[in-house]
Amino acid sequence: MNVELYKDLIKDERGNYYVAVQKEGNELTLVNAMLERSYQDLWEFNEEFKKKYAEYERQFIGKVIMDKLRHDIVFASKDDGHGRMYDLAAVAGNYKVSFIDMIEFYRNPRVGRSHDNNII
């Protein structure tokens, strides 16, 4: 098993999805996938944003992020899709797993690196 950072999804028995954000040897650090996806893009509320996300007008802000995650789940569930889907119990059998508390995720090394953030 080779879990790829920011690409593969890991599902627990309750239906929660996680993504690996750090791997050192046999240690793997996970965070809630929806939270991680919410840190991928920087939003600028300009005309381009309004056009790109017109279908989301008068929707909850989390819907955009959930739709991105749903897309990733669909593709990770396919044999030829982008990324893979793993069961948390199986991952925990191969790695020493730790989790980043959702409220602490802003401290993640990915945050603030301009080449990782897409401006929308």
PDB file of all heavy atoms in Angstrom, residues 76-89:
ATOM      1  N   ALA A  76     -11.909   8.410  -7.392  1.00  0.00           N
ATOM      2  CA  ALA A  76     -11.065   7.515  -6.586  1.00  0.00           C
ATOM      3  C   ALA A  76     -11.698   6.131  -6.459  1.00  0.00           C
ATOM      4  O   ALA A  76     -11.000   5.149  -6.215  1.00  0.00           O
ATOM      5  CB  ALA A  76     -10.829   8.121  -5.206  1.00  0.00           C
ATOM      6  N   SER A  77     -13.010   6.044  -6.634  1.00  0.00           N
ATOM      7  CA  SER A  77     -13.713   4.769  -6.530  1.00  0.00           C
ATOM      8  C   SER A  77     -13.608   3.934  -7.794  1.00  0.00           C
ATOM      9  O   SER A  77     -13.935   2.749  -7.794  1.00  0.00           O
ATOM     10  CB  SER A  77     -15.191   5.008  -6.199  1.00  0.00           C
ATOM     11  OG  SER A  77     -15.306   5.667  -4.962  1.00  0.00           O
ATOM     12  N   LYS A  78     -13.150   4.538  -8.881  1.00  0.00           N
ATOM     13  CA  LYS A  78     -12.997   3.822 -10.145  1.00  0.00           C
ATOM     14  C   LYS A  78     -11.588   3.243 -10.243  1.00  0.00           C
ATOM     15  O   LYS A  78     -10.638   3.828  -9.736  1.00  0.00           O
ATOM     16  CB  LYS A  78     -13.223   4.773 -11.328  1.00  0.00           C
ATOM     17  CG  LYS A  78     -14.620   5.326 -11.412  1.00  0.00           C
ATOM     18  CD  LYS A  78     -14.744   6.258 -12.605  1.00  0.00           C
ATOM     19  CE  LYS A  78     -16.151   6.797 -12.726  1.00  0.00           C
ATOM     20  NZ  LYS A  78     -16.299   7.668 -13.892  1.00  0.00           N
ATOM     21  N   ASP A  79     -11.481   2.124 -10.918  1.00  0.00           N
ATOM     22  CA  ASP A  79     -10.168   1.494 -11.091  1.00  0.00           C
ATOM     23  C   ASP A  79      -9.209   2.370 -11.887  1.00  0.00           C
ATOM     24  O   ASP A  79      -8.015   2.371 -11.652  1.00  0.00           O
ATOM     25  CB  ASP A  79     -10.303   0.137 -11.787  1.00  0.00           C
ATOM     26  CG  ASP A  79     -10.934  -0.909 -10.882  1.00  0.00           C
ATOM     27  OD1 ASP A  79     -10.864  -0.748  -9.649  1.00  0.00           O
ATOM     28  OD2 ASP A  79     -11.502  -1.873 -11.417  1.00  0.00           O
ATOM     29  N   ASP A  80      -9.742   3.116 -12.839  1.00  0.00           N
ATOM     30  CA  ASP A  80      -8.896   3.950 -13.684  1.00  0.00           C
ATOM     31  C   ASP A  80      -9.007   5.429 -13.333  1.00  0.00           C
ATOM     32  O   ASP A  80      -8.611   6.290 -14.096  1.00  0.00           O
ATOM     33  CB  ASP A  80      -9.252   3.744 -15.155  1.00  0.00           C
ATOM     34  CG  ASP A  80     -10.706   4.116 -15.452  1.00  0.00           C
ATOM     35  OD1 ASP A  80     -11.502   4.244 -14.502  1.00  0.00           O
ATOM     36  OD2 ASP A  80     -11.036   4.276 -16.640  1.00  0.00           O
ATOM     37  N   GLY A  81      -9.514   5.704 -12.167  1.00  0.00           N
ATOM     38  CA  GLY A  81      -9.728   7.084 -11.761  1.00  0.00           C
ATOM     39  C   GLY A  81      -8.478   7.743 -11.218  1.00  0.00           C
ATOM     40  O   GLY A  81      -7.415   7.139 -11.093  1.00  0.00           O
ATOM     41  N   HIS A  82      -8.613   9.012 -10.893  1.00  0.00           N
ATOM     42  CA  HIS A  82      -7.528   9.788 -10.303  1.00  0.00           C
ATOM     43  C   HIS A  82      -7.501   9.515  -8.803  1.00  0.00           C
ATOM     44  O   HIS A  82      -8.476   9.763  -8.102  1.00  0.00           O
ATOM     45  CB  HIS A  82      -7.767  11.282 -10.561  1.00  0.00           C
ATOM     46  CG  HIS A  82      -6.766  12.161  -9.907  1.00  0.00           C
ATOM     47  ND1 HIS A  82      -5.499  12.325 -10.413  1.00  0.00           N
ATOM     48  CD2 HIS A  82      -6.823  12.903  -8.782  1.00  0.00           C
ATOM     49  CE1 HIS A  82      -4.833  13.150  -9.626  1.00  0.00           C
ATOM     50  NE2 HIS A  82      -5.615  13.518  -8.636  1.00  0.00           N
ATOM     51  N   GLY A  83      -6.430   8.982  -8.320  1.00  0.00           N
ATOM     52  CA  GLY A  83      -6.338   8.646  -6.913  1.00  0.00           C
ATOM     53  C   GLY A  83      -6.986   7.303  -6.623  1.00  0.00           C
ATOM     54  O   GLY A  83      -7.584   6.670  -7.494  1.00  0.00           O
ATOM     55  N   ARG A  84      -6.840   6.869  -5.384  1.00  0.00           N
ATOM     56  CA  ARG A  84      -7.410   5.599  -4.955  1.00  0.00           C
ATOM     57  C   ARG A  84      -8.219   5.824  -3.687  1.00  0.00           C
ATOM     58  O   ARG A  84      -8.033   6.799  -2.981  1.00  0.00           O
ATOM     59  CB  ARG A  84      -6.293   4.586  -4.689  1.00  0.00           C
ATOM     60  CG  ARG A  84      -5.589   4.129  -5.951  1.00  0.00           C
ATOM     61  CD  ARG A  84      -4.448   3.170  -5.634  1.00  0.00           C
ATOM     62  NE  ARG A  84      -3.417   3.765  -4.808  1.00  0.00           N
ATOM     63  CZ  ARG A  84      -2.369   4.446  -5.274  1.00  0.00           C
ATOM     64  NH1 ARG A  84      -2.217   4.617  -6.559  1.00  0.00           N
ATOM     65  NH2 ARG A  84      -1.477   4.955  -4.456  1.00  0.00           N
ATOM     66  N   MET A  85      -9.090   4.872  -3.409  1.00  0.00           N
ATOM     67  CA  MET A  85      -9.902   4.894  -2.202  1.00  0.00           C
ATOM     68  C   MET A  85      -9.404   3.768  -1.289  1.00  0.00           C
ATOM     69  O   MET A  85      -9.279   2.622  -1.728  1.00  0.00           O
ATOM     70  CB  MET A  85     -11.371   4.665  -2.542  1.00  0.00           C
ATOM     71  CG  MET A  85     -12.300   4.691  -1.360  1.00  0.00           C
ATOM     72  SD  MET A  85     -12.550   6.333  -0.692  1.00  0.00           S
ATOM     73  CE  MET A  85     -13.459   7.081  -2.043  1.00  0.00           C
ATOM     74  N   TYR A  86      -9.108   4.106  -0.044  1.00  0.00           N
ATOM     75  CA  TYR A  86      -8.667   3.122   0.929  1.00  0.00           C
ATOM     76  C   TYR A  86      -9.598   3.115   2.129  1.00  0.00           C
ATOM     77  O   TYR A  86     -10.197   4.134   2.470  1.00  0.00           O
ATOM     78  CB  TYR A  86      -7.252   3.444   1.429  1.00  0.00           C
ATOM     79  CG  TYR A  86      -6.165   3.291   0.402  1.00  0.00           C
ATOM     80  CD1 TYR A  86      -5.551   4.409  -0.145  1.00  0.00           C
ATOM     81  CD2 TYR A  86      -5.732   2.038  -0.015  1.00  0.00           C
ATOM     82  CE1 TYR A  86      -4.531   4.277  -1.086  1.00  0.00           C
ATOM     83  CE2 TYR A  86      -4.729   1.893  -0.949  1.00  0.00           C
ATOM     84  CZ  TYR A  86      -4.127   3.018  -1.478  1.00  0.00           C
ATOM     85  OH  TYR A  86      -3.131   2.881  -2.402  1.00  0.00           O
ATOM     86  N   ASP A  87      -9.663   1.978   2.781  1.00  0.00           N
ATOM     87  CA  ASP A  87     -10.391   1.845   4.031  1.00  0.00           C
ATOM     88  C   ASP A  87      -9.440   2.236   5.169  1.00  0.00           C
ATOM     89  O   ASP A  87      -8.277   1.820   5.184  1.00  0.00           O
ATOM     90  CB  ASP A  87     -10.854   0.391   4.196  1.00  0.00           C
ATOM     91  CG  ASP A  87     -11.600   0.182   5.486  1.00  0.00           C
ATOM     92  OD1 ASP A  87     -12.752   0.644   5.587  1.00  0.00           O
ATOM     93  OD2 ASP A  87     -11.005  -0.430   6.400  1.00  0.00           O
ATOM     94  N   LEU A  88      -9.937   3.026   6.120  1.00  0.00           N
ATOM     95  CA  LEU A  88      -9.092   3.495   7.215  1.00  0.00           C
ATOM     96  C   LEU A  88      -8.482   2.332   8.004  1.00  0.00           C
ATOM     97  O   LEU A  88      -7.303   2.387   8.363  1.00  0.00           O
ATOM     98  CB  LEU A  88      -9.886   4.414   8.150  1.00  0.00           C
ATOM     99  CG  LEU A  88      -9.134   4.952   9.366  1.00  0.00           C
ATOM    100  CD1 LEU A  88      -7.890   5.738   8.950  1.00  0.00           C
ATOM    101  CD2 LEU A  88     -10.060   5.803  10.214  1.00  0.00           C
ATOM    102  N   ALA A  89      -9.245   1.288   8.247  1.00  0.00           N
ATOM    103  CA  ALA A  89      -8.717   0.145   8.998  1.00  0.00           C
ATOM    104  C   ALA A  89      -7.537  -0.493   8.266  1.00  0.00           C
ATOM    105  O   ALA A  89      -6.536  -0.865   8.889  1.00  0.00           O
ATOM    106  CB  ALA A  89      -9.823  -0.880   9.249  1.00  0.00           C
TER     107      ALA A  89
END
